[in-house]
């Protein structure tokens, strides 16, 4: 392969504290990745210039011509209309409300496309992660909240109002009294996130005198609950069962809408591994439409890099090229 | 317009008792429609020859050359893989399990595409019905059961296992003891179909001594319940509230997955009209992700013709041509 034939693309994942950037070949090989701080002050006006500057610097460092960069795919923590307009982002000090793809493209002279961060991570997991080889997938990320991204026929299902793939806000319980971050009540996120798992554990601890290793832990985490369950702690197991039932049931509902081939689970909670996946899949099968019971469940494999992979997948024109 | 320039397409909707056929111009003008009986005996082996024969006859009657027929789009009452393979259909005496598009095309010498009946009806309502002018829609049909069809970017979201758009089988209630037609329990269909509305009415009648006009009716129908509610009967209103809550909440869930621009409600129950639609939309807004609260609700307008319109939309290559 001669140097002249190589083409590149950048994946960018703008988060509330840092911006991840990856330099890839267009066939999906990660050449370099790094992070810069997200400057959210001054209504985020430094964000795009900072992205442009760090990419310009990398191009010089690597002696790459702009003409050989196919594009920049950017994930943002908010709703995106089309592949360019970002709505104001809560985590970025209300930065947004404009065509950020056009703005960044004008700053740097390279084509830019935009997508919501959970959606772009789904695209990354589809392309080079837990769902590689499939193009109809659901990605759910279990962290502080529950994020979701849906890919149909290789394309992000972003929806008309940016609510596509907002799996975390499916209402799964009547009678909830605490409010979710979205302002409503009974959302999946309240039960299936790391935060939700800890909340359920505290509730079960308060409701009974049942012995549990969890009672001895000061600042409970979802990891403690999974560890307790794996060591045979009955109360921990009840918490996991409740988590698995809510998530499995909600994913069965999702499959009655878009019926994916693979469901990929990522985020901090997915560190619990195969036993967590099996518990969720068991509940899924219980509630799924019969023909969809065969849906596969995989763990995410790209971790925090899913967004930058997805960014590249968003802008490369021959996404099915095999890996170099 | 000269005769030679006109092009045609057929829409076919194969049901358990009759096969509806429509002759359209490719711009979507219905020229003629008729029905033939569905012969389900002999494992349905007459079905495709009957369709071929009735279309051949119409072509002769109308002096239309086969070369000016762009295609035949067929809706079938079962799951479809791709746009050609139909799984065995319960309502057609297990007819299916083969490439019916190829089989019909070989019989008649015209290109054929296939889709599930609820999905093809969604396509019809999108093209010339309640969601005309939109291409991201959810169609739900409330009859004996609850059928659903989802269109994203003008294309049917059929899913990988034929479960895409199976909105009627979203699990909405825990603790149900009766089994749904799909073999599971607590499906939306058990509460939001015409049958489900009558079932809820019977339950409320049994559970209390509350006065109600419904007690005087021998063979209750969902129409009676809507009529009762509109005349101020409190028990009837409770039944409608329960129906609207289950349906509105399930549609809010659907919108957290595919986030359509318009939700179209059809089927027998939709004869209840705007007040039914308003009640469902009110509940939808209660449970929807905030950005999706603006989703529009429309009544279906094509009735039993939705399938034949959708069939034509499936095969015409320039679907956005304005009406002639």
């Amino acid at each position: 392969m001669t140097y002249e034939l190589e083409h590149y693309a950048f994946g960018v994942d703008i988060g509330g504290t840092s911006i991840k950037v990856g330099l890839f070949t267009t066939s999906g090989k990660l050449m370099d990745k790094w992070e810069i701080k997200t400057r959210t002050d001054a209504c985020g006006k430094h964000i795009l210039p900072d992205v442009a500057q760090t990419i310009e610097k990398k191009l010089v460092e690597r002696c790459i011509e702009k003409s050989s960069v196919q594009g920049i795919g950017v994930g943002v923590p908010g709703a995106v209309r089309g592949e360019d307009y970002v709505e104001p982002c809560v985590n970025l000090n209300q930065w947004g409300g404009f065509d950020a793809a056009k703005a960044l493209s004008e700053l740097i002279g390279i084509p830019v496309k935009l997508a919501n961060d959970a959606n772009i991570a789904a695209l990354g997991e589809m392309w080079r992660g837990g769902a590689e080889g499939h193009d109809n997938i659901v990605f759910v990320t279990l962290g502080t909240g529950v994020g979701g991204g849906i890919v149909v026929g290789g394309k992000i299902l972003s929806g008309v109002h940016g609510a596509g793939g907002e799996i975390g806000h499916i209402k799964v319980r009547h009678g909830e009294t605490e409010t979710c971050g979205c302002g409503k009540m009974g959302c999946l996120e309240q039960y299936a996130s790391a935060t939700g798992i800890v909340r359920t554990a505290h509730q079960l601890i308060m409701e009974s005198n049942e012995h549990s290793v969890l009672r001895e832990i000061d600042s409970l985490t979802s990891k403690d609950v999974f560890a307790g369950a794996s060591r045979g702690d009955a109360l921990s197991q009840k918490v996991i069962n409740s988590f698995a039932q809510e998530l499995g049931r909600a994913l069965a509902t999702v499959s009655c809408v878009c019926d994916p081939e693979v469901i990929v689970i990522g985020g901090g909670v997915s560190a619990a591994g195969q036993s967590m996946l099996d518990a969720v899949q068991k509940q899924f099968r219980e509630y799924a439409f019969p023909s969809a019971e065969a849906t596969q469940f995989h763990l995410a494999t790209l971790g925090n890099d899913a967004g930058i992979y997805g960014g590249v997948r968003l802008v490369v024109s021959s996404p099915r090229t095999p890996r170099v």
Side-chain angles (χ1 to χ4, degrees), chain A:
Chain A
M1 186 188 298
T2 61
Y3 179 76
E4 290 74 22
L5 288 174
E6 193 59 284
H7 283 81
Y8 302 92
F10 286 90
V12 177
D13 189 358
I14 302 177
T17 55
S18 71
I19 299 171
K20 294 181 192 68
V21 189
L23 167 65
F24 291 74
T25 65
T26 49
S27 56
K29 187 177 167 190
L30 177 59
M31 308 289 289
D32 199 351
K33 65 171 179 171
W34 68 99
E35 290 187 16
I36 60 172
K37 196 172 168 300
T38 310
R39 291 199 285 159
T40 55
D41 59 299
C43 303
K45 75 171 184 180
H46 305 299
I47 292 174
L48 294 184
D50 285 354
V51 170
Q53 194 183 30
T54 195
I55 289 178
E56 295 268 15
K57 210 173 130 193
K58 185 62 62 179
L59 292 175
V60 171
E61 181 193 317
R62 291 255 178 183
C63 303
I64 295 172
E65 295 293 326
K66 276 187 190 173
S67 59
S68 67
V69 180
Q70 203 165 321
I72 303 171
V74 183
V76 294
V80 173
R81 281 194 238 152
E83 291 182 321
D84 37 39
Y85 186 96
V86 56
E87 301 282 354
C89 299
V90 178
N91 292 342
L92 298 177
N93 208 4
Q94 296 302 320
W95 173 83
F98 68 106
D99 185 336
K102 190 176 167 199
L104 179 57
S105 182
E106 283 177 357
L107 279 174
I108 196 166
I110 295 171
V112 176
K113 286 185 181 178
L114 230 62
N116 166 268
D117 53 6
N119 290 343
I120 215 166
L123 207 54
E125 287 290 343
M126 178 203 79
W127 193 32
R128 293 289 183 249
E132 190 172 344
H134 303 276
D135 60 3
N136 290 285
I137 76 147
V138 167
F139 173 61
V140 54
T141 172
L142 311 174
T144 313
V146 171
I150 296 171
V151 182
V152 174
K155 288 183 191 299
I156 290 170
L157 180 51
S158 57
V160 172
H161 314 90
E166 285 291 353
I167 295 171
H169 300 285
I170 290 177
K171 304 300 171 288
V172 298
R173 275 199 207 167
H174 286 283
E176 176 60 52
T177 53
E178 287 183 33
T179 305
C180 176
C182 75
K184 303 209 169 174
M185 290 176 190
C187 294
L188 176 65
E189 176 161 302
Q190 295 181 281
Y191 316 103
S193 60
T195 325
I197 290 171
V198 171
R199 194 173 76 113
T200 305
H202 282 303
Q203 284 169 348
L204 292 191
I205 287 170
M206 297 286 283
E207 282 170 10
S208 80
N209 292 317
E210 184 178 343
H211 167 80
S212 170
V213 295
L214 300 184
R215 292 188 190 274
E216 295 146 30
I217 300 169
D218 272 349
S219 298
L220 261 187
T221 65
S222 62
K223 203 177 155 187
D224 297 323
V225 182
F226 280 101
S230 72
R231 291 204 309 271
D233 182 67
L235 192 141
S236 299
Q237 191 58 55
K238 280 183 199 162
V239 178
I240 301 308
N241 291 350
S242 165
F243 151 83
Q245 190 183 40
E246 294 298 6
L247 182 57
R249 194 175 143 104
L251 290 172
T253 288
V254 171
S255 88
C256 282
V257 182
C258 66
D259 185 20
E261 195 164 10
V262 179
I263 293 175
V264 178
I265 301 185
V269 173
S270 71
Q274 195 62 40
S275 64
M276 179 278 299
L277 203 66
D278 292 344
V280 175
Q281 184 170 18
K282 187 172 170 232
Q283 291 295 324
F284 172 88
R285 286 189 178 146
E286 191 78 21
Y287 295 111
F289 189 67
S291 70
E293 285 173 19
T295 307
Q296 300 169 43
F297 276 67
H298 296 179
L299 290 167
T301 63
L302 298 178
N304 291 331
D305 290 347
I308 57 174
Y309 274 91
V312 171
R313 175 61 178 76
L314 193 64
V315 294
V316 297
S317 58
S318 313
R320 295 210 160 274
T321 316
R323 274 192 256 204
V324 179

